[in-house]
Amino acid sequence: FSRATEIDAGVLDALEEILLTADVGVRLSMRWMDDLRGRLSRGELKNAEDVRAALRALVLATLEAPQSQAMDVEHLIKSTFTKPYVIMFVGVNGVGKTTTIGKMASKLTKAGLQVVVGAGDTFRAAAAEQLAIWAERSGSVMIRGEEGTDPASVIFNAISHARTIGADVVLADTAGRLHTKTELMDEIRKVKKAAGKARDNAPDEVWLVVDGTTGQNALLQAKEFHDVLALSGIVLTKLDGTAKGGVVIAIADALNIPVRYVGVGETVDDLKPFVPKAFVAALFE
Amino acid sequence: IVSKGFKNAKEALTGRTELSEENIAQAVREIRVSLLEADVEVGVVKRFIDRVKERAIGEVVQTSLKKDGKKIKASPGEHFTRICYEELENLMGKEEPGPIRYRKPITVIMMVGLQGVGKTTTCGKLAHYLLQKKRKPMLVAADIYRPAAVKQLQILGEKLGVSVFAKDGLSPPDLCKLAIIEAKKKKCDVVILDTAGRLAIDDALMTELEDIKAGTKPDNLFLVCDAMAGQDTVNTAAIFNSRLSIDGFIMTKLDGDARGGAALSIREVTGKPIKFLGLGEDMGKLEAFRPQGLASRILG
Ligand SMILES: Nc1nc2c(ncn2[C@@H]2O[C@H](COP(=O)(O)OP(=O)(O)OP(=O)(O)O)[C@@H](O)[C@H]2O)c(=O)[nH]1
Ligand SMILES: Nc1nc2c(ncn2[C@@H]2O[C@H](COP(=O)(O)OP(=O)(O)OP(=O)(O)O)[C@@H](O)[C@H]2O)c(=O)[nH]1
Ligand SMILES: [Mg+2]
Ligand SMILES: [Mg+2]
């Protein structure tokens, strides 16, 4: 009988290592290991296979729970009464916001929608020039301001212009910002407010872009941005690399925010809808 | 600076008169959780904990050998904390007596790393740093892929009053070789090569870096890493190091609350030194690495 418990310990350690190296985080991993250990000792799980299957089920359930609130963005846009549908992209520096907007604009244009992109990053060197290239690639209209202009007014103008021309979607780019910087979080709150002034109840979505190589800090990012803006989704980028992006599991568990899309490269077609089952399979392979 | 993880570890040892196997085990569990939350890599944490345990238990044996009743001066909690800090500082390595290796007539700095970590911004910061050291740097826009990457570097150069070399139609290795010739003509004494972000597993792009290195013989090949990077960063750093033999690395975005455990992991796994720390988006926000500050941040 002690031989069986020896096997159990080895299996649990191996599974915990998978979670930890995938950036799921030590606290959530320990909580799940305790749960599995309890079920093993009560005989609810009989062997290694049971344990593995039980863990996969836990991870899948965690990722699927928030998904029920999320729907296909194209469908949401096409069925909305309040045009334009406004999606705001936020996140810390360098995660892939601008590139994701370029990919999204292209996807929506190919689906027959008219897209306006707002160059809400009025701070960083060549931010507007970078977005302009993506706007051109995707056949979308770009609204920008002068460097150093207040980003809230750029996004206000982008939405107003979209209303004038009857565009279907506005994708609002914003400058990268660390969530610990109070004045920058105040600024992003103002950008959201300005969207609401340009069109009642805008934005319809606020998406936090998370770099797939990020560790536990992503959970702190999500908490802070969610507090300030009420996030409706996450885009997980750079999953074409070797990092697993497991921190979105911790975010789903703590905040119930769904992952909407996954970035898998630097070209215009490298944006895929998030599929929990596929993500879990990749995590455990 | 003592965070929850450390507080819990010390609490496990409060009221004890000496370190024993059981109370060390509890303290070590708290430290393990704290280091993993700080994004230190799993294997690095395991080896660190083993060393701390060995020292802590070894010292228990030592004091119990003192038959004259002389015990350790510090409380077990403080003693354990000191062991952790010392082991961590050993791991971080000493302050770099450089941090840049200069060469006549021209010093070459080559910046590499994954996408979005802060290479271009740090190139600008290095130019600023070199200007303050009375050098004449030139920035080289060798990222020909990312939309407006060249423009981004040109704007930084313009703001700093530093010349930027850019040229359409050349491959990055050829562009960099030409830049050095141009720098010599302009009497610049340092050349900073900004390269495109890339995945360590992208063989073609990693080969491109090897070609740039072969053609420019940099004295300073720096891997730029994001302080918020997680567990996998150790793997990518190992590949960059094995293919390019980096001279050191630069940690960016330390002005946030990322604990920066990746720094420790990369240091242990590559054996290469941390050269600079990036502490903000402005050009002045770069500091030469000093181990003390980072140790307490990672341990929490
Ligand atoms: N491999 C890979 N690279 C990506 C992905 N998404 C974005 N990138 C790259 O990441 C880098 C940063 O992308 P940006 O779009 O500029 O990121 P950002 O969040 O807008 O950056 P800031 O505005 O400076 O905060 C670029 O080199 C992109 O090509 C992805 O899914 N995979
Ligand atoms: N807060 C903070 N932001 C930084 C720091 N270093 C760079 N950034 C920001 O991080 C983002 C990405 O910086 P880049 O210099 O474009 O990064 P990169 O590595 O050149 O990106 P690619 O060329 O696309 O691979 C920008 O928004 C920078 O302003 C830092 O130390 N602190
Ligand atoms: Mg951007
Ligand atoms: Mg760059």
Side-chain angles (χ1 to χ4, degrees):
Chain A
F1 181 78
S2 69
R3 183 94 204 288
T5 51
E6 218 175 84
I7 296 170
D8 298 340
V11 168
L12 288 174
D13 285 350
L15 288 175
E16 188 182 44
E17 179 125 338
I18 291 176
L19 294 179
L20 291 177
T21 54
D23 290 314
V24 171
V26 61
R27 301 224 180 253
L28 181 54
S29 302
M30 286 189 340
R31 205 175 84 211
W32 278 344
M33 287 303 125
D34 287 346
D35 176 49
L36 293 174
R37 210 169 284 126
R39 286 155 73 182
L40 255 176
S41 68
R42 290 194 295 277
E44 296 167 23
L45 301 172
K46 303 271 184 306
N47 52 40
E49 270 325 297
D50 281 357
V51 177
R52 276 188 210 109
L55 182 59
R56 290 176 73 129
L58 279 171
V59 178
L60 188 62
T62 305
L63 289 172
E64 284 181 335
Q67 292 293 327
S68 55
Q69 312 163 17
M71 281 156 58
D72 181 309
V73 153
E74 270 178 50
H75 173 82
L76 286 168
I77 295 169
K78 287 179 173 166
S79 59
T80 187
F81 290 120
T82 50
K83 280 184 22 168
Y85 198 82
V86 180
I87 307 177
M88 202 170 135
F89 292 78
V90 302
V92 303
N93 307 72
V95 295
K97 298 177 291 300
T98 305
T99 305
T100 298
I101 287 173
K103 296 171 183 175
M104 198 72 205
S106 170
K107 182 184 286 291
L108 297 174
T109 315
K110 288 194 180 120
L113 299 164
Q114 187 176 17
V115 182
V116 170
V117 300
D121 180 352
T122 57
F123 168 77
R124 206 208 68 210
E129 287 85 338
Q130 181 188 8
L131 188 63
I133 291 169
W134 280 109
E136 190 177 339
R137 282 180 186 172
S138 59
S140 54
V141 173
M142 181 173 100
I143 298 298
R144 62 173 293 183
E146 295 307 314
E147 187 185 323
T149 328
D150 139 50
S153 61
V154 175
I155 298 310
F156 181 94
N157 292 340
I159 297 173
S160 306
H161 182 75
R163 292 184 70 179
T164 310
I165 66 174
D168 300 293
V169 199
V170 174
L171 304 178
D173 195 7
T174 63
R177 69 203 60 230
L178 297 183
H179 52 286
T180 48
K181 306 206 164 167
T182 333
E183 73 286 5
L184 295 183
M185 295 310 282
D186 286 342
E187 178 186 86
I188 201 76
R189 190 180 286 123
K190 291 201 182 97
V191 173
K192 181 179 181 187
K193 265 191 148 193
K197 294 213 176 90
R199 194 219 81 197
D200 276 351
N201 300 319
D204 301 284
E205 306 255 15
V206 181
W207 291 354
L208 178 71
V209 182
V210 174
D211 187 324
T213 64
T214 309
Q216 296 313 295
N217 195 253
L219 187 52
L220 299 179
Q221 295 168 20
K223 288 189 172 144
E224 190 58 31
F225 276 94
H226 190 49
D227 251 4
V228 173
L229 301 171
L231 302 173
S232 60
I234 289 178
V235 178
L236 183 63
T237 61
K238 309 181 194 172
L239 272 204
D240 44 318
T242 42
K244 301 275 182 158
V247 69
V248 295
I249 300 168
I251 294 174
D253 173 71
L255 304 169
N256 205 41
I257 303 170
V259 178
R260 310 295 287 273
Y261 287 90
V262 178
V264 291
E266 301 188 74
T267 76
V268 80
D269 298 315
D270 292 325
L271 189 71
K272 308 265 173 280
F274 179 69
V275 179
K277 280 209 175 68
F279 186 81
V280 174
L283 190 72
F284 285 96
E285 77 189 10
Chain B
I1 318 238
V2 177
S3 83
K4 191 135 94 9
F6 238 139
K7 253 174 100 246
N8 293 345
K10 283 180 86 174
E11 260 159 44
L13 299 169
T14 324
R16 317 286 174 172
T17 49
E18 63 175 26
L19 295 171
S20 74
E21 295 246 7
E22 302 79 45
N23 59 38
I24 285 173
Q26 175 56 20
V28 151
R29 266 196 290 279
E30 296 296 338
I31 295 298
R32 175 178 176 269
V33 169
S34 184
L35 290 177
L36 287 173
E37 283 190 318
D39 296 318
V40 182
E41 193 263 342
V42 167
V44 175
V45 173
K46 175 137 191 19
R47 290 188 288 281
F48 178 84
I49 299 284
D50 287 347
R51 279 197 303 281
V52 165
K53 244 196 254 160
E54 192 178 343
R55 269 190 65 181
I57 293 175
E59 308 211 10
V60 171
V61 172
Q62 267 191 16
T63 54
S64 62
L65 282 179
K66 289 197 169 145
K67 292 287 196 293
D68 62 347
K70 276 222 181 88
K71 289 272 169 80
I72 309 170
K73 280 277 166 62
S75 79
E78 288 167 4
H79 187 60
F80 181 79
T81 304
R82 185 177 56 77
I83 292 176
C84 285
Y85 270 105
E86 283 179 8
E87 281 303 320
L88 205 62
E89 287 186 356
N90 289 343
L91 199 43
M92 296 273 207
K94 303 263 161 290
E95 187 161 328
E96 269 298 290
I100 295 187
R101 191 180 308 148
Y102 296 102
R103 178 158 56 99
K104 292 197 165 60
I106 202 153
T107 298
V108 179
I109 301 174
M110 180 176 164
M111 305 283 275
V112 304
L114 298 176
Q115 292 89 347
V117 295
K119 297 176 293 300
T120 305
T121 307
T122 308
C123 284
K125 292 179 184 179
L126 280 172
H128 180 259
Y129 171 89
L130 291 163
L131 287 173
Q132 295 190 319
K133 303 272 178 202
K134 305 283 184 277
R135 306 239 164 209
K136 189 159 184 278
M138 167 189 271
L139 290 163
V140 178
D143 178 355
I144 60 171
Y145 309 106
R146 168 172 153 157
V150 172
K151 187 85 180 110
Q152 184 185 2
L153 195 65
Q154 285 172 329
I155 292 172
L156 295 183
E158 207 170 310
K159 292 198 169 145
L160 292 165
V162 168
S163 58
V164 179
F165 181 85
K167 197 159 181 64
D168 277 339
L170 287 183
S171 72
D174 289 341
L175 190 155
C176 290
K177 283 214 224 90
L178 194 57
I180 296 186
I181 295 172
E182 191 61 26
K184 285 179 179 158
K185 285 198 196 130
K186 289 192 154 154
K187 302 278 189 307
C188 294
D189 57 3
V190 189
V191 159
I192 305 168
L193 310 175
D194 184 21
T195 68
R198 67 204 63 215
L199 298 179
I201 53 173
D202 186 326
D203 186 54
L205 286 182
M206 290 305 285
T207 305
E208 179 186 277
L209 288 182
E210 290 168 339
D211 292 343
I212 295 175
K213 178 179 180 181
T216 61
K217 308 251 187 308
D219 320 276
N220 307 272
L221 203 160
F222 296 151
L223 175 65
V224 182
C225 306
D226 196 321
M228 61 181 181
Q231 294 284 319
D232 190 61
T233 198
V234 141
N235 302 324
T236 61
I239 297 175
F240 271 95
N241 191 36
S242 74
R243 291 196 64 156
L244 299 168
S245 185
I246 67 179
D247 293 306
F249 59 106
I250 299 178
M251 213 74 199
T252 62
K253 308 180 200 170
L254 278 162
D255 44 319
D257 58 1
R259 299 268 296 279
L264 200 65
S265 315
I266 296 174
R267 167 75 183 148
E268 197 214 66
V269 163
T270 64
K272 297 297 165 72
I274 305 172
K275 294 283 193 170
F276 288 98
L277 305 178
L279 296 150
E281 296 190 76
D282 298 331
M283 295 295 103
K285 297 285 197 304
L286 186 76
E287 286 181 10
F289 172 66
R290 285 181 12 264
Q292 301 85 2
L294 199 51
S296 38
R297 178 192 189 118
I298 291 177
L299 262 178

